[in-house]
Structures are given as structure tokens and as C-alpha cells.
Amino acid sequence: MFRYSVPIKNIMGTPTGRSIATLPKSFKSLIYSKHDVDNCSEVLSVKEYVPKENLKESIVLRTLAFPINPSDINQLQGVYPSIPEKTLDFSTDEPAAVAGNEGLFEVIHVPTKASDKFKVGDWVIPLKSNQGTWTDYKAITNPSDLIKVNGLDLLSAATVSVNGCTAYQLVNNYIKWDSTGSNNEWIIQNAGTSGVSKLVTQIAKARGIKTLSVIRDRDNFDEVAQELENKYGATKVISETMNNDKTFGKQDLPKILGPNGTIKLALNSVGGKSSSSIARKLEKNALMLTYGGMSKQPVSLPTSLYIFKGLTSKGYWITENTKKNPSEKVETVEGFIKLYQEGHIETPNLSRDFNHIEWDVSNDKDILEKVKEGINAKGKKQIVLLKWK
Amino acid sequence: MFRYSVPIKNIMGTPTGRSIATLPKSFKSLIYSKHDVDNCSEVLSVKEYVPKENLKESIVLRTLAFPINPSDINQLQGVYPSIPEKTLDFSTDEPAAVAGNEGLFEVIHVPTKASDKFKVGDWVIPLKSNQGTWTDYKAITNPSDLIKVNGLDLLSAATVSVNGCTAYQLVNNYIKWDSTGSNNEWIIQNAGTSGVSKLVTQIAKARGIKTLSVIRDRDNFDEVAQELENKYGATKVISETMNNDKTFGKQDLPKILGPNGTIKLALNSVGGKSSSSIARKLEKNALMLTYGGMSKQPVSLPTSLYIFKGLTSKGYWITENTKKNPSEKVETVEGFIKLYQEGHIETPNLSRDFNHIEWDVSNDKDILEKVKEGINAKGKKQIVLLKWK
């Protein structure tokens, strides 16, 4: 049924330099003009329109894949602090914007002025958020708005901008790690089964940094823990019950860390009790970075950790980091690709790691309904894969 | 009854250079060997002993005053993370330490080797914590362990090491303030009536930084608010009810701050709801420093403040700062004295701001009981004033 009969890991960007014969006359995008916090999928519609850009003079892209991220949904709900400007570029009566902040694109046309930077067949992602990725085609006038991602598999490339870059920067940009990897330095993180956490684990391992991953209690705890340890390289996986148990912290934790083991960084995407329990395990003058709040509980930290243990608690947001420092995002993607090509990053598995939605470009009358279902679905990450003839 | 018949503000260190005739044969100190979290005053005893130091070769000090700080009490309880080493220097069977971390001393003897740095009559404080200040005399062998505080009144000098330096560093060491004072920059702080908060208010005002002080709701709110505004220079005082009210934050706060007003620093010594409410009022990428936790509630901050508003939450502890950077402590005291002499700091009032205990050195058989009472008393800060013939 689906075109990916070869393993996803073997599908990669292959710049050919050959332009496709004809450029599209119109683009088709999932757009919105309003927000609805309770029924956000209802604000979406499909719109076909003639792009405002001169395509001959633009880098023209066709879309290969885009994930449905929580931030995309929060934008539709109107509760996300970063949103695109709405315009009349899409032949609508009311100003509208194309949904989506992340996606993987293939270059299908390069104007002469950009031919030193991009080739037809290159795989690219937008540098910044708010560019509108839930679309079949895109036209880019400024080459600096794109980052090349040749060398990644399709699923890694389609998710590198948020999860990949988040994990890479969390590990690399805040702590001055012992560069020899021989100092028994640790990261502790909660939500240890999340996409970002698995990437953190692998990126840390490549640098010789150990990871203590906390996961929720579950019936198949041993199975999940073993997968995280054996497949992704987590040094040790513990449950939230262990994380919250003070006796565990005093008696078992030192044995896990071993001689001179210190936890220098805590990565929190849960909040509540889980966040205070990982913070308590940090060494003196350490850092906790909060990049998510799945429990919807605040980050609650004892005064004594701040005053007597010198804890610093900060937030992390890839969107804001990229706004402040776009070139760092480019370096981050390059660093991620390098790790991937050196074999440090596990290739995602479409059926294990994602629920996928097919956008058959030649027969797409049901795409709006499919994406709406994807927005409202629970469980694994939703990804839309575009099927081109 | 009490020797301070002249106003405290007129009593200051006056280096005379004249050594007193005879050095003491013995010292008398309040010491402890054990800790008791429930009845910490019971671990104290008075001990007279021959000092181990060669007094002729030491800087010899007599004590003028020492406050009873929460950290002193927590040390006796055994719950403070910084404690002095216990020794056999005090003619005890078990190792013991002199209580107290802060105090004001008068130099009564200077050895030749230190005569370029200190003169008899100088007022001095210990550079570091854990030196044992609940004593009648002290002998110091290393001149670098003392900071001169001539130029302050007795009460300011006796409390500059903790409250004065804390307030000075909180205001000055973390934010790059607009040096012209014309940028409408604010500090928000809770516990606005505390000793540190009043000093923060005055130090900030001297720099052109505005302060929004939150105080607990009380029957005489207007009276207290007016005193903080008129006497100490708080720009605006609000109640905890206002602080916690979201409508107040949206509608009233912008009017209080005025055009382009931004809150760049939050100072938290309360925790709990009060801390999250002051943090919410900060501008983007701002800082909250926690230096106390009077509510005994954790510092609880919404995930969104961390991720989307770029909040950094850190602790502040003068003891640790001084360990890391002793010269900064000296500069801080000098900076504080300068502000005081320029008239920016209100002189404390003994009866309004303190409960005082008299230690009559010539008749001191009841001093242990008096200090125990001071430890167990509630309300205003306790200070022990030594009466010398």
C-alpha cells in the first residue's frame, strides 16, 4: 500500500542537479485564519492558490514529510507564544497562515543566484519556525532560510529541526563537559522514553557522558528499560517511584553513579514531583533545563537546593534560541548529521516510532480529514508522508 | 540602664592607635559540642578558656555586638550546611566550636606585622562565616581574615556582613543595569518589610533602580506601606493579595510601572505562591534570585515561564559567594560603607528594629540565659550588645 517498500533508512537526499520539467502552477496547503483552544483541528482548511513568489526566481521545494508536533497544535489552539503572521497570500477573504513549523523538503528548482548553495534533489528544512510546512510545495526567496539535511534518513530529517536540535543543544550548549569522557559525568532526565530523551541518550553517549533516564512506572518496566539501555545506550534507567524515593537517592544512587560520579545536568520535560526529584540528585552548582511540562504541574524546587546547593533552573526553547542565533541552528543540524553519519544515532522505525498519514499528492481529497484525525490522536508521534508520482 | 545614651548613629569606630594597657588572660565564649534540632539553645554553654593564640603576635579584638541570625540557630540545630570545625581549643572534653557567624569587633591590640593594616580602635568584622562571634574577645592571626568597617554606626556594622552584603550583592552583582538610571528598570521583592528588603530598596534607589515591594496583608497595611515608601524609598508597595491577583497583574501593574517600565530582577525570600507571583511579573529573559524561604514552601514556577519567558531561577548565599570570592566580600563592604556615608542608607533604630540583649562583661553570669531567651524569641531581630567598662 505504501511507497516505502525499501527501509526508510535507505531513502536519503541525493542531489542530482536535474531540474524537474515543469514547475507547479498552484500550491495546496493546510491553512487557518482563526484559533480554537478546544477544537483546534476545526480551524484548518485545505486551500489551493497561486503562489505570490516568482517561481523561476525562487528555490522551489516539494514536501516529503512533516510531523504534527505539540507546538503546531498549540498554535492552532491559539495558546502558543510564537505564531506566524496571517496574510492574504492564499486567496482567502480573511488573513490566513499555513500550519506547521517543521518539515522535510526536496529542492525541485534552483534559480541561478542560489545555484552555488543548493542543487535540485537536495533535502532541506526551514531554518526558523512559523514558515508553514503543512503544504505540498513551498517557494523560498532567501537561501539563508534553508538548512541542508542530506545524509539523514527521511524520518530523522523530518524531525531534526525540533527533536534533533533540541537534544543536541541540551547536551552540548550548557555544560562544559570533560572532553576526555573519563570523568564519570552524568545527565539525569525524566520522560526517558520520549523522542528527545532517546536522542539525548545517544548524543551524550557519543561524547562519553552517562545518562540516568527516569521513566514512568509500568507493567513492562524491565522490557522498556532494557530497550533504552541496550538499543539507545542509556547508562541506567530508573522508575519515577525510585526517582521520588529518598532512600533510593541516598543508598542506591551512589552505587549507580560509581566512584566520583556526578550529575551535572538535569533535563526536565515533566515538571511537578518528577522535576524536583531529578533536581535533588544534581551535584552542587548544577543546572536544570526545563523544555517541556507533560505533567502540567509547575516546576517546584526546594529553597535549600537553590541557596545551599547553588542550583540554577532555566528554560530551553529551540524556537527562541534560533531567533537569537540562527547560525547556531545551522551548526547544530550539521553536528547532528555528523553524529548520525558516524553511526551514533539510531535510525527511527516508521511503524515502531510513528503513526503515519499518507498524503497522496495525486489523489488528496481526504488529506484534511486525515490530518485532523492525526491532530486528535493520542500515542505515538504523528507524521505525514507525501506520496509523489 | 543601657550605655547607649547617645544615639547609636553617633557611635562609630575611631582608630586611636593607642593599645589598651593589658591583654586579657582568658576569653569567654558561648560554645557547643552537640546539636539539637528541637531545643538548640540547650546545646550552648559558657566557657572561659586561655586562648591558644599568642596574643602579642595576634590582632586582638573585643566584641561590641553580634546579631542572632537564623543561620546561627540552624547551625546549633545541626541543619545548616555550613558549620565550623569543632576543636579542643576551649578546654573542653569534647571538641567544641564557638557559636555565631556575624559580629562587630574593636581592635584592642595590633602586632607589628599587621600595623600597616590595622590600628587599635578600628572596627572590624570577620571576612568569613564560621569564625565564632558569640564571645567577649577574639584573637586573629591572619589580617586578611578581617574587614574594616569604620564609618558605619554600631548596628549597621554589626549586621553588614549578612544583611548589608546580601542586599548589596543582590542589587549589584547580577543584572547589567542601565547606568544612567533613566530606563525605568525595576526590582520586585517579597517580604518587603525584612531587613534585607529595606536595604535592597535603599541601595536600588541610590542607583536609580525602582522597587516594587510585596508585603503580607495586614490591618495597618497603609501605614507600613507608607513607611517603606517614604522612609526607605520603595517606589511602590503592594500586598500579597494584589501580588497573587491576575487582574491586578494585567490592569494595575502596567500603570504602576509606567511607560517602558520593566521588572528585570525578582528577589525571593518567601517561596510558595508569593515566589511564583513575583516571577510572573518579570520581563522576558529575567532572573529570580532566591535567598530565603520564610513560608517553608518550595519555589514553584510554571513551565511556561521557563520555556517561553526565558526565566532563570537561581539561589543566592552570601556564605558561598564569600568562600568562592573573598575579595568580592571586601569590595561589597566597602561599597556599602560608601553608600552609607553618602546618606543613602537609613541608620537602624535600636528599639524599632531590634530586640537587644545586654552582655555586661563585668557581670555576666546571666548571659547564657539571656542568649537562650533571644534564640527562642519571635519577632524582631535579636542583637547582643557588649558592655565594656
Side-chain angles (χ1 to χ4, degrees):
Chain A
M1 164 219 169
F2 196 65
R3 72 170 178 144
Y4 294 108
S5 52
V6 293
I8 284 284
K9 61 184 291 187
N10 296 332
I11 304 176
M12 293 199 182
T14 46
T16 61
R18 279 176 280 118
S19 198
I20 62 167
T22 51
L23 290 173
K25 297 275 181 293
S26 63
F27 291 4
K28 195 177 283 183
S29 305
L30 291 158
I31 65 166
Y32 61 97
S33 292
K34 294 191 165 28
H35 303 272
D36 187 332
V37 72
D38 297 317
N39 289 297
C40 73
S41 65
E42 294 307 311
V43 305
L44 277 182
S45 62
V46 176
K47 184 75 188 176
E48 192 164 358
Y49 56 95
V50 176
K52 64 168 184 177
E53 294 88 355
N54 177 336
L55 295 194
K56 286 279 178 205
E57 296 300 314
S58 304
I59 301 170
V60 184
L61 313 175
R62 68 177 183 186
T63 309
L64 299 181
F66 56 83
I68 300 175
N69 285 321
S71 51
D72 303 324
I73 295 174
N74 293 341
Q75 275 189 344
L76 299 177
Q77 291 172 324
V79 299
Y80 202 63
S82 166
I83 51 166
E85 198 191 343
K86 296 186 185 73
T87 68
L88 292 171
D89 294 344
F90 312 104
S91 308
T92 52
D93 295 333
E94 285 183 272
V98 177
N101 294 281
E102 185 173 32
L104 172 64
F105 301 87
E106 185 182 8
V107 174
I108 60 170
H109 170 74
V110 182
T112 311
K113 64 176 182 187
S115 61
D116 57 332
K117 290 189 110 182
F118 293 100
K119 295 212 179 326
V120 168
D122 274 341
W123 279 15
V124 295
I125 59 172
L127 171 67
K128 292 188 183 169
S129 301
N130 293 335
Q131 304 306 302
T133 56
W134 296 9
T135 184
D136 57 357
Y137 291 101
K138 270 193 90 63
I140 303 291
T141 50
N142 181 355
S144 311
D145 288 344
L146 294 172
I147 307 177
K148 253 190 271 195
V149 293
N150 298 328
L152 295 177
D153 68 87
L154 185 129
L155 295 171
S156 293
T159 55
V160 70
S161 187
V162 177
N163 282 6
C165 288
T166 293
Y168 191 92
Q169 294 191 354
L170 287 171
V171 174
N172 287 297
N173 288 20
Y174 293 88
I175 303 294
K176 207 178 159 186
W177 300 103
D178 162 39
S179 60
T180 67
S182 62
N183 265 358
N184 201 4
E185 296 173 330
W186 291 68
I187 291 170
I188 187 168
Q189 61 182 347
N190 50 25
T193 58
S194 77
V196 171
S197 292
K198 284 177 187 164
L199 289 169
V200 162
T201 302
Q202 298 170 85
I203 294 164
K205 194 183 177 199
R207 290 202 53 168
I209 303 157
K210 296 177 180 173
T211 45
L212 180 58
S213 289
V214 182
I215 68 174
R216 276 173 297 155
D217 295 73
R218 60 192 84 203
D219 292 340
N220 63 341
F221 174 84
D222 288 343
E223 186 190 326
V224 174
Q226 272 170 34
E227 191 189 30
L228 291 175
E229 290 173 6
N230 298 338
K231 190 176 184 69
Y232 297 97
T235 316
K236 180 72 182 173
V237 176
I238 63 172
S239 68
E240 281 291 1
T241 296
M242 297 180 208
N243 185 37
N244 295 330
D245 177 6
K246 287 190 181 170
T247 310
F248 176 89
K250 275 190 190 154
Q251 292 177 4
D252 301 71
L253 184 63
K255 291 178 205 156
I256 291 170
L257 299 183
N260 304 315
T262 52
I263 308 182
K264 304 191 99 167
L265 178 64
L267 302 178
N268 168 45
S269 58
V270 177
K273 200 169 182 182
S274 175
S275 59
S276 51
S277 294
I278 64 171
R280 279 180 206 278
K281 296 179 178 60
L282 286 164
E283 69 162 342
K284 270 187 95 171
N285 303 317
L287 174 68
M288 180 155 84
L289 292 170
T290 289
Y291 67 96
M294 288 198 301
S295 73
K296 300 197 188 295
Q297 298 295 310
V299 180
S300 185
L301 298 170
T303 299
S304 59
L305 285 192
Y306 280 120
I307 301 180
F308 303 131
K309 282 193 70 183
L311 174 66
T312 298
S313 177
K314 288 168 72 101
Y316 171 88
W317 191 20
I318 182 70
T319 300
E320 186 69 15
N321 280 19
T322 305
K323 258 190 219 163
K324 278 189 200 153
N325 195 348
S327 66
E328 189 174 78
K329 172 78 176 243
V330 178
E331 289 158 22
T332 300
V333 171
E334 289 168 354
F336 185 90
I337 294 173
K338 185 164 180 285
L339 284 179
Y340 183 91
Q341 295 191 316
E342 290 169 354
H344 295 296
I345 310 287
E346 188 72 20
T347 301
N349 178 299
L350 185 61
S351 61
R352 183 192 63 206
D353 301 327
F354 294 90
N355 284 323
H356 76 264
I357 294 161
E358 186 182 323
W359 180 341
D360 181 344
V361 179
S362 63
N363 177 19
D364 61 3
K365 56 185 184 310
D366 58 351
I367 185 59
L368 179 61
E369 286 315 309
K370 282 178 170 176
V371 169
K372 283 184 181 179
E373 278 172 32
I375 287 172
N376 295 318
K378 305 272 184 234
K380 285 185 279 189
K381 187 185 270 295
Q382 303 286 324
I383 192 161
V384 178
L385 301 174
L386 280 86
K387 182 175 170 186
W388 296 94
K389 267 176 293 197
Chain B
M1 163 224 170
F2 197 67
R3 72 170 178 143
Y4 295 107
S5 52
V6 292
I8 283 285
K9 62 185 290 187
N10 295 333
I11 305 175
M12 293 197 181
T14 45
T16 61
R18 279 176 282 117
S19 199
I20 62 167
T22 51
L23 290 173
K25 296 275 181 294
S26 62
F27 292 4
K28 195 178 282 184
S29 305
L30 292 158
I31 65 165
Y32 61 96
S33 293
K34 293 191 163 32
H35 303 273
D36 187 332
V37 71
D38 297 318
N39 289 298
C40 74
S41 66
E42 294 307 312
V43 305
L44 277 181
S45 62
V46 176
K47 184 75 189 176
E48 191 163 0
Y49 55 95
V50 176
K52 64 168 182 177
E53 295 89 355
N54 177 338
L55 295 193
K56 286 280 177 204
E57 297 300 314
S58 303
I59 302 169
V60 184
L61 314 174
R62 68 176 182 187
T63 311
L64 299 181
F66 55 83
I68 299 175
N69 284 322
S71 51
D72 304 323
I73 294 173
N74 293 340
Q75 274 188 345
L76 299 178
Q77 291 172 326
V79 299
Y80 202 63
S82 166
I83 52 166
E85 198 190 344
K86 297 185 185 73
T87 69
L88 292 170
D89 293 344
F90 312 104
S91 307
T92 52
D93 295 331
E94 284 184 272
V98 177
N101 294 280
E102 184 172 33
L104 172 64
F105 301 87
E106 184 182 9
V107 175
I108 61 171
H109 170 75
V110 182
T112 312
K113 64 176 181 186
S115 61
D116 56 332
K117 290 189 109 182
F118 293 99
K119 293 212 180 325
V120 167
D122 274 339
W123 280 14
V124 295
I125 60 172
L127 172 66
K128 293 189 182 169
S129 301
N130 292 334
Q131 304 306 301
T133 56
W134 296 8
T135 184
D136 56 359
Y137 290 100
K138 268 193 92 61
I140 303 290
T141 50
N142 181 355
S144 310
D145 289 342
L146 294 173
I147 308 177
K148 253 189 270 194
V149 293
N150 299 328
L152 295 178
D153 68 87
L154 185 127
L155 295 171
S156 293
T159 55
V160 70
S161 187
V162 178
N163 281 7
C165 288
T166 293
Y168 191 92
Q169 294 192 354
L170 287 172
V171 174
N172 288 298
N173 288 20
Y174 294 87
I175 303 294
K176 208 177 158 189
W177 300 103
D178 162 38
S179 60
T180 68
S182 63
N183 264 358
N184 201 4
E185 297 174 328
W186 290 69
I187 291 171
I188 187 167
Q189 61 182 345
N190 50 25
T193 58
S194 77
V196 171
S197 292
K198 284 177 185 164
L199 290 169
V200 162
T201 302
Q202 298 171 84
I203 294 165
K205 194 184 177 199
R207 291 202 51 170
I209 303 158
K210 296 176 180 174
T211 45
L212 180 57
S213 290
V214 182
I215 67 174
R216 275 172 298 154
D217 296 72
R218 59 191 85 202
D219 291 340
N220 62 342
F221 174 85
D222 287 343
E223 186 189 324
V224 174
Q226 273 170 34
E227 191 189 30
L228 291 175
E229 290 173 6
N230 298 337
K231 190 176 185 71
Y232 297 97
T235 316
K236 180 72 182 173
V237 176
I238 64 173
S239 69
E240 281 290 1
T241 297
M242 297 180 209
N243 185 36
N244 295 329
D245 177 7
K246 287 190 180 170
T247 310
F248 176 88
K250 276 189 189 153
Q251 293 177 3
D252 302 71
L253 184 64
K255 291 178 203 155
I256 291 171
L257 299 183
N260 304 316
T262 52
I263 308 182
K264 304 191 101 168
L265 178 65
L267 302 178
N268 168 45
S269 59
V270 176
K273 201 169 181 180
S274 175
S275 59
S276 51
S277 294
I278 63 171
R280 281 180 204 278
K281 295 179 179 59
L282 285 165
E283 70 162 342
K284 270 186 96 172
N285 303 317
L287 175 68
M288 179 155 86
L289 292 170
T290 289
Y291 67 95
M294 288 198 299
S295 73
K296 300 197 188 293
Q297 298 295 311
V299 179
S300 186
L301 298 170
T303 299
S304 60
L305 284 191
Y306 280 121
I307 302 180
F308 303 131
K309 281 193 73 184
L311 173 67
T312 298
S313 177
K314 288 168 73 101
Y316 172 87
W317 191 21
I318 182 71
T319 300
E320 184 69 15
N321 280 19
T322 305
K323 258 190 220 165
K324 278 189 201 154
N325 196 347
S327 65
E328 189 176 78
K329 173 78 176 244
V330 178
E331 289 159 21
T332 300
V333 171
E334 288 168 356
F336 185 91
I337 293 173
K338 184 164 181 287
L339 285 179
Y340 183 91
Q341 294 190 318
E342 289 169 356
H344 295 296
I345 311 287
E346 188 73 19
T347 301
N349 178 298
L350 185 61
S351 61
R352 183 192 63 206
D353 302 325
F354 295 90
N355 283 324
H356 76 262
I357 293 161
E358 186 182 322
W359 180 341
D360 182 345
V361 179
S362 63
N363 176 19
D364 60 5
K365 56 185 185 311
D366 57 352
I367 186 58
L368 179 62
E369 286 315 309
K370 282 178 169 176
V371 169
K372 283 184 182 179
E373 277 172 33
I375 287 172
N376 296 317
K378 307 269 181 234
K380 285 184 279 190
K381 187 184 270 295
Q382 303 286 324
I383 192 162
V384 178
L385 301 173
L386 282 86
K387 183 175 169 185
W388 297 95
K389 268 176 291 195

